[in-house]
Amino acid sequence: MRTWHEIRRFPLAVRLLLVNQFGVNIGFYLLIPFLATHLTENLGMSAAVVGVVLGVRTLSQQGLFVVGGSAADRLGARGVIIAGCALRTLGFGLFAFGDDLAVLLAASVLSGFAGALFNPAVRAYIAQEADGREAEAFALFTMFAAAGALVGPLLGSALLLVDFRTSALTAAGIFAALTVAQAMVLPARPREPRNGVSVPAEWREVLGNRPFLAFALAMVGMFTLESQLYLLLPDGARQSTGWDGAAGLVLLVGTLAHLTLQLRVTRALKKRGQRGRWIVTGLGLMAVGFLPPALTAGGGSGAPDGLADGALRVLPVLAGALLLSLGVMVAQPFVMELIPAYGRPGLTGTYFGVFYVVSGVAAAVGNTVVGWAMDTGARAGTAWLPWVCCALSGLVSALGVAWLRRTGALPAPPRPAVPATV
């Protein structure tokens, strides 16, 4: 009930964008996790071709975030959000009817570029509309995103009982409905005059902001560790139990934690100020989350001896997933709140775009390193190696943000606008 009351305190546009993120994640996760299986089993494509299709989608999104952010600043976040959802409608529709590589690559480019458009634009719009309550808005945003990420795969699994085309068309239909809702409800915001300043000049302005770049680089650990909810932790759950379904428990623990605790945690910490301290604390919690699995990695050999033994073996992994999720809950809303504070309001989208390019590269490099550590650990009998690598990554990020806080390089969060007196 308190969550519903908190939602109602925001303008209609913010409430729509919260529901929008719920729908975006449902549409995304009911299709993308099953795409590789469709390409190999239904279309008979090789693993190399599948990697190209998936890689093109990721590159189209992660590599073009800056373009989406700049477009939001120059053209208005509303139009860019609508265009992004419309493009994803088209892209996912092409997945439904694409049986040859050219069509699939076009679908990948369109769906990836769509994400590059609306992801920074949505965050810029929320930051501009939240009026001093950015942390709470982004906490709710995370909750709606987590709920969508939980519902999406469940719905996708059910739709696959029909066929992949039904899943793709359903996803496209969700994005089409979101596009219409945004066009009807989202109000346009006035844009800051550019005064002849070019886009490259604005990019140079953002890239020349050394405190911001230092903060973005310091946060690399957060995105590297958060991505382990889909790589290392599910693998640890499968290895400890010998049951493929145990991977789903990791996602369930994280999602339930976000849904039940995110807003409470953010509101409680915001009252105590010191955003930088909470970001450091959150990163520290994320790092600690990899210690329980590290201490027990490789401890069990062979299949578990019954349900109780399997539950005991997976418990350290689930504890790690919970600590990781708690760390994300503590840090992420305040990270999102601080990003716009590094620059002038007219470049909010660009700052989010650059930040997410850095995070995307970080997640890709981090997953590569973790994958190497997993392989090396398996060969050398040092199963703890990837867990320790992740813990060290979180610790380095926490120390980096702590240093920025100590040197005064973290900006003050934006304050609520003062209503004009009549």
Side-chain angles (χ1 to χ4, degrees):
M1 186 62 68
R2 292 185 65 184
T3 300
W4 177 246
H5 176 70
E6 189 73 33
I7 293 170
R8 293 189 64 184
R9 291 177 61 197
F10 284 100
L12 178 60
V14 173
R15 299 202 299 268
L16 173 65
L17 291 178
L18 296 177
V19 176
N20 178 82
Q21 192 60 28
F22 175 66
V24 163
N25 274 17
I26 289 178
F28 182 86
Y29 284 104
L30 77 83
L31 178 73
I32 296 300
F34 309 103
L35 181 57
T37 301
H38 166 67
L39 296 178
T40 53
E41 296 185 1
N42 297 340
L43 301 184
M45 294 184 172
S46 67
V49 173
V50 173
V52 170
V53 173
L54 298 180
V56 164
R57 193 210 66 79
T58 302
L59 181 62
S60 298
Q61 179 164 315
Q62 303 290 355
L64 297 175
F65 271 134
V66 178
V67 175
S70 290
D73 291 335
R74 294 218 158 220
L75 305 176
R78 175 184 181 273
V80 175
I81 292 169
I82 295 171
C85 272
L87 279 178
R88 185 155 280 182
T89 302
L90 179 59
F92 279 21
L94 283 178
F95 276 127
F97 298 101
D99 292 334
D100 59 77
L101 184 58
V103 175
L104 291 169
L105 289 175
S108 294
V109 170
L110 286 174
S111 60
F113 183 51
L117 287 177
F118 64 67
N119 278 340
V122 164
R123 286 159 177 79
Y125 199 108
I126 290 176
Q128 292 163 351
E129 290 284 336
D131 194 23
R133 300 176 58 233
E134 289 83 1
E136 292 93 333
F138 283 116
L140 289 168
F141 186 81
T142 301
M143 291 172 61
F144 276 79
L150 177 64
V151 173
L154 298 177
L155 180 58
S157 298
L159 290 172
L160 282 177
L161 297 176
V162 182
D163 58 21
F164 180 82
R165 178 170 294 179
T166 301
S167 295
L169 290 177
T170 301
I174 290 173
F175 280 101
L178 292 174
T179 303
V180 173
Q182 292 156 4
M184 294 176 62
V185 176
L186 281 183
R189 287 181 55 87
R191 300 188 297 274
E192 184 179 281
R194 316 318 289 188
N195 298 322
V197 179
S198 66
V199 170
E202 292 180 340
W203 289 358
R204 287 194 296 271
E205 179 180 339
V206 175
L207 294 174
N209 189 331
R210 292 185 179 181
F212 167 71
L213 290 182
F215 179 66
L217 291 173
M219 294 308 304
V220 160
M222 185 177 82
F223 293 98
T224 299
L225 299 193
E226 190 176 7
S227 66
Q228 301 317 309
L229 285 169
Y230 306 97
L231 178 62
L232 181 58
L233 285 161
D235 182 75
R238 287 190 294 265
Q239 293 289 339
S240 61
T241 62
W243 175 45
D244 287 343
L249 297 176
V250 171
L251 298 178
L252 182 62
V253 165
T255 300
L256 292 178
H258 277 291
L259 292 177
T260 57
L261 298 174
Q262 176 69 80
L263 186 59
R264 298 179 187 179
V265 168
T266 301
R267 293 180 67 179
L269 297 181
K270 183 177 179 179
K271 292 176 182 177
R272 292 162 175 79
Q274 299 294 325
R275 268 58 161 185
R277 180 176 68 183
W278 300 129
I279 295 173
V280 173
T281 301
L283 290 168
L285 272 175
M286 294 175 72
V288 170
F290 289 88
L291 295 182
L295 295 173
T296 58
S301 58
D305 185 17
L307 183 61
D309 184 37
L312 286 175
R313 290 191 186 187
V314 79
L315 194 58
V317 178
L318 297 183
L322 179 59
L323 286 170
L324 175 62
S325 298
L326 286 172
V328 173
M329 279 188 275
V330 170
Q332 194 171 64
F334 299 120
V335 172
M336 296 295 102
E337 183 186 46
L338 287 184
I339 291 171
Y342 274 100
R344 53 187 172 88
L347 287 180
T348 297
T350 306
Y351 272 95
F352 272 112
V354 171
F355 187 82
Y356 274 96
V357 167
V358 173
S359 70
V361 172
V365 173
N367 279 335
T368 300
V369 172
V370 172
W372 169 84
M374 291 168 67
D375 292 339
T376 301
R379 289 194 302 267
T382 53
W384 48 265
L385 181 61
W387 305 99
V388 171
C389 286
C390 288
L392 290 175
S393 175
L395 177 61
V396 169
S397 276
L399 291 174
V401 177
W403 179 77
L404 292 175
R405 176 172 173 252
R406 182 177 181 181
T407 58
L410 297 181
R415 296 186 178 186
V418 179
T421 57
V422 179

